[in-house]
Amino acid sequence: MEAGNEIGSSAHPTSLHPPVRGHASTGTLGRHLARRLVEIGVKDVFSVPGDFNLTLLDHLIAEPELNLVGCCNELNAGYAADGYARAKGVGACVVTFTVGGLSVLNAIAGAYSENLPVICIVGGPNSNDYGTNRILHHTIGLPDFSQELRCFQTITCAQAVVNNLDDAHELLDTAISTALKESKPVYISIGCNLPGIPHPTFARDPVPFFLAPKVSNQLGLEAAVEATANFLNKAVKPVLVGGPKLRVANAKDAFVELADACGYPIAVMPSGKGLVPEHHPHFIGTYWGAVSTSFCGEIVESADAYVFIGPIFNDYSSVGYSLLIKKEKAIIVQPNRVTIGNGPSFGWVFMADFLSALAKKLKKNTTAVENYRRIFVPPGMPLKHGNDEPLRVNVLFKHIQPLRVNVLFKHIQDMLSKDSAVIAETGDSWFNCQKLHLPENCGYEFQMQYGSIGWSVGATLGYAQAAKDKRVIACIGDGSFQVTAQDISTMIRCGQKSIIFLINNGGYTIEVEIHDGPYNVIKNWNYTAFVDAIHNGEGRCWTAKVRTEDELIDAIAAATGEKKDSLCFIEVFAHKDDTSKELLEWGSRVSSANSRPPNPQ
């Protein structure tokens, strides 16, 4: 994080709170932590109470600029902090020792995979119990209290166990600043007896962070730009492809500067969607190998030079390692390194610096854009049902031909604007939401690297809490929803106005297309009745069941009209085999990659 730049968001600059002399009676660890969270841009903390964190929660509640959001479980609190960090730049959650900490682990691991600074705070044992032979509750029954810490060491970039007030100030500030600098989660454990004790090190308001700017090695930057410009200026039809690390590199503006200057077509990797401007005149779609947007894959893979900016190549993004790209044609730009084909690699060259400098050195070349426009054919409209099309007999759908998923997403496309944001759950929603064309400033989030089903419920809660200027549209499959459904309750308590499309197709569709079995079929719920029961007449919530296109049109009209100030939950019935063509192709390729036999020894 650069000095003078944003910490969290534009509303929360580094010098938000000038240092002010405080009173010794208020100079406590709990107050310091609360003020520090506000200073870095956290206004909402997601929590689940437990006896080890209750005193700490008292101090967080006492901070007038901090709002405590109680969640139904720790996993969702972590997912909410993840979603909040995507919108605000940093998020935080507070849980209790071990039973809470081990529950939130999965969400923190996902935040680590997505390079999100999440401050995970745990209320720990009384400081007097460390180093004794005592056995405590909420532990596994051993006098060693380090199990939780050792788990978090593998999924956080820094850990602080605060059981002594003398070094607490340094431990807290070091952990929080490391999260911001590394853009990764950190773990902070605070002894349950410490938050309210006055201590001289906390006798004044936190001095605002000054995080030293990361400055590129100037010689390395110049060499990288020169070598890259020579490589690309010789190419006939080069392309740009944006990846997910554009976020952590804070390089979205520099990417646009480069795209404007060079004239190349710009594509986005699936996990980078939302980070590349789709309203740009040279945008050609999602590059995802065999399941790319129509005509995009052909342009990228036929290019004689491609610049991948912030990519993550894994088995999912490479469609089972089937991308038709060649290393010798590729320039890979990572947040702090540039590698050119099979040739040189330049370290300590930061992405934003590099892209801005490169923009000034490239010759304009629109050849590949013109090729794309020559071969492009606009997508067709979903077919209407024929009168002679047989009705499928299915108890779930009451003998009605279910609404087609591609028709659903045609209508979701029409809902999008600069005032909306899309949250896409792991599953077929990945592929259907990938095909949505995002208007300028429309938000978009999903979790592709970690791919934890159920992530979107908590993430919707956190993102909507942070981005109050946007209405979140979440697309969630029934299988994923069953994992984390409870925190619909918290959305209603917080007065959120998101629109949730629950796609009910009777199971884990993405798993079906990778490897089918009876374990992919789930118990069907009456989802709207479930949400109505959670609503229970408290707060604003509206539900609808949708089986036809006309019912969908009416539901969307209500959700965006008379019910626009309510949380809207729309259950959409779809046939269990109604999937995107991209999922069918992707699933078969991932299945093939998963089932490779062992190499001969």
Side-chain angles (χ1 to χ4, degrees):
M1 191 68 62
E2 294 187 7
N5 281 2
E6 299 167 344
I7 289 184
S9 73
S10 58
H12 308 288
T14 56
S15 57
L16 184 66
H17 299 291
V20 177
R21 179 68 61 187
H23 298 292
S25 61
T26 62
T28 62
L29 182 159
R31 185 179 188 279
H32 175 88
L33 178 61
R35 296 299 301 153
R36 187 60 95 197
L37 290 174
V38 169
E39 182 204 359
I40 65 172
V42 173
K43 292 299 184 75
D44 300 90
V45 176
F46 302 91
S47 68
V48 178
D51 63 320
F52 285 128
N53 70 14
L54 297 178
T55 302
L56 177 60
L57 296 182
D58 286 340
H59 285 270
L60 300 183
I61 291 172
E63 168 53 56
E65 294 186 64
L66 206 56
N67 176 43
L68 203 64
V69 180
C71 295
C72 297
N73 60 53
E74 292 88 359
L75 178 62
N76 276 337
Y79 286 153
D82 171 313
Y84 193 91
R86 291 166 182 267
K88 278 273 193 177
V90 61
C93 57
V94 181
V95 299
T96 197
F97 187 59
T98 307
V99 291
L102 298 190
S103 289
V104 81
L105 271 174
N106 191 48
I108 300 303
Y112 190 99
S113 77
E114 300 276 321
N115 299 297
L116 298 169
V118 171
I119 317 297
C120 181
I121 303 161
V122 174
N126 186 293
S127 62
N128 296 301
D129 290 323
Y130 284 92
T132 69
N133 206 36
R134 294 171 181 153
I135 294 176
L136 295 183
H137 69 286
H138 287 343
T139 70
I140 61 172
L142 297 177
D144 173 10
F145 307 151
S146 66
Q147 294 88 19
E148 179 182 82
L149 169 63
R150 283 182 280 141
C151 290
F152 273 97
Q153 283 172 333
T154 62
I155 58 167
T156 55
C157 68
Q159 308 81 36
V161 177
V162 180
N163 54 24
N164 186 314
L165 285 173
D166 288 342
D167 62 355
H169 189 292
E170 180 183 357
L171 289 174
L172 289 177
D173 282 4
T174 299
I176 292 171
S177 61
T178 302
L180 298 173
K181 287 187 288 188
E182 301 293 329
S183 200
K184 294 280 191 184
V186 294
Y187 164 84
I188 298 172
S189 173
I190 297 174
C192 62
N193 59 325
L194 301 180
I197 301 173
H199 193 271
T201 56
F202 299 119
R204 63 185 297 161
D205 272 357
V207 175
F209 276 135
F210 180 85
L211 300 181
K214 290 183 177 179
V215 180
S216 294
N217 175 337
Q218 192 59 33
L219 291 176
L221 175 63
E222 292 170 3
V225 168
E226 182 181 2
T228 303
N230 288 339
F231 187 94
L232 293 175
N233 285 334
K234 293 175 184 174
V236 177
K237 44 184 181 176
V239 299
L240 299 180
V241 186
K245 291 186 179 178
L246 275 165
R247 186 208 305 271
V248 68
N250 201 17
K252 290 189 285 185
D253 292 343
F255 180 92
V256 174
E257 181 184 352
L258 176 62
D260 289 342
C262 69
Y264 305 171
I266 57 175
V268 63
M269 296 184 74
S271 49
K273 188 175 178 71
L275 302 176
V276 169
E278 300 187 11
H279 62 281
H280 195 282
H282 293 169
F283 181 74
I284 63 171
T286 300
Y287 176 62
W288 202 352
V291 295
S292 299
T293 310
S294 297
F295 313 106
C296 174
E298 293 82 355
I299 292 298
V300 172
E301 292 181 342
S302 67
D304 56 344
Y306 11 74
V307 186
F308 282 89
I309 301 171
I312 294 177
F313 295 107
N314 61 23
D315 51 336
Y316 274 14
S317 68
S318 67
V319 197
Y321 311 112
S322 65
L323 299 184
L324 300 180
I325 58 174
K326 296 180 179 178
K327 185 179 178 183
E328 62 268 20
K329 294 182 182 180
I331 293 171
I332 308 296
V333 185
Q334 292 294 9
N336 59 359
R337 177 169 293 275
V338 176
T339 303
I340 300 172
N342 288 324
S345 185
F346 302 89
W348 211 251
V349 173
F350 294 103
M351 185 186 290
D353 296 342
F354 173 77
L355 299 181
S356 293
L358 182 63
K360 300 173 177 64
K361 297 287 186 179
L362 292 183
K363 299 174 184 173
K364 197 127 188 171
N365 184 340
T366 59
T367 301
V369 170
E370 292 158 9
N371 286 348
Y372 172 78
R373 290 171 178 164
R374 271 191 284 271
I375 66 172
F376 177 75
V377 177
M381 298 299 290
L383 295 173
K384 297 283 187 184
H385 290 302
N387 293 331
D388 58 346
E389 190 169 354
L391 295 179
R392 291 184 173 85
V393 178
N394 189 312
V395 175
L396 187 62
F397 307 122
K398 302 182 180 177
H399 305 275
I400 295 175
Q401 177 71 38
L403 176 71
R404 285 180 177 162
V405 172
N406 54 17
V407 173
L408 166 64
F409 279 89
K410 177 189 76 170
H411 288 281
I412 291 176
Q413 175 69 71
D414 294 339
M415 298 172 68
L416 302 185
S417 73
K418 64 180 176 59
D419 299 320
S420 57
V422 177
I423 303 283
E425 176 59 82
T426 301
D428 199 24
S429 292
W430 272 3
F431 300 91
N432 288 304
C433 289
Q434 228 11 271
K435 291 183 280 188
L436 295 173
H437 188 74
L438 303 180
E440 186 173 3
N441 294 323
C442 178
Y444 185 93
E445 298 293 345
F446 76 139
Q447 189 197 57
M448 185 170 191
Q449 172 61 41
Y450 201 57
S452 183
I453 67 167
W455 162 86
S456 65
V457 176
T460 296
L461 164 64
Y463 191 98
Q465 194 64 17
K468 291 187 170 67
D469 58 328
K470 294 186 182 295
R471 196 168 191 196
V472 175
I473 299 170
C475 301
I476 307 175
D478 51 346
S480 296
F481 183 73
Q482 289 193 9
V483 179
T484 49
Q486 307 97 306
D487 271 282
I488 292 284
S489 172
T490 313
M491 297 179 196
I492 297 171
R493 279 178 60 197
C494 291
Q496 295 184 358
K497 304 170 185 178
S498 300
I499 301 173
I500 296 174
F501 287 97
L502 186 286
I503 302 167
N504 185 347
N505 55 14
Y508 298 118
T509 303
I510 190 169
E511 313 292 7
V512 168
E513 303 308 333
I514 296 174
H515 183 92
D516 201 6
Y519 31 75
N520 290 326
V521 179
I522 61 174
K523 170 73 176 68
N524 187 49
W525 292 2
N526 184 339
Y527 291 97
T528 54
F530 173 85
V531 173
D532 288 339
I534 290 175
H535 174 211
N536 198 26
E538 298 177 16
R540 294 183 176 181
C541 178
W542 175 78
T543 64
K545 290 185 186 293
V546 165
R547 291 184 172 87
T548 67
E549 184 172 10
D550 287 342
E551 290 176 353
L552 175 66
I553 292 169
D554 291 343
I556 291 174
T560 55
E562 61 184 292
K563 302 298 182 182
K564 68 180 186 301
D565 292 325
S566 299
L567 181 79
C568 295
F569 183 91
I570 301 172
E571 180 183 0
V572 179
F573 292 92
H575 191 275
K576 70 181 183 65
D577 294 323
D578 184 1
T579 69
S580 62
K581 73 179 183 66
E582 290 82 6
L583 174 57
L584 298 177
E585 173 79 18
W586 179 90
S588 64
R589 289 176 180 268
V590 170
S591 175
S592 177
N594 285 355
S595 59
R596 287 167 294 158
N599 290 327
Q601 299 300 313

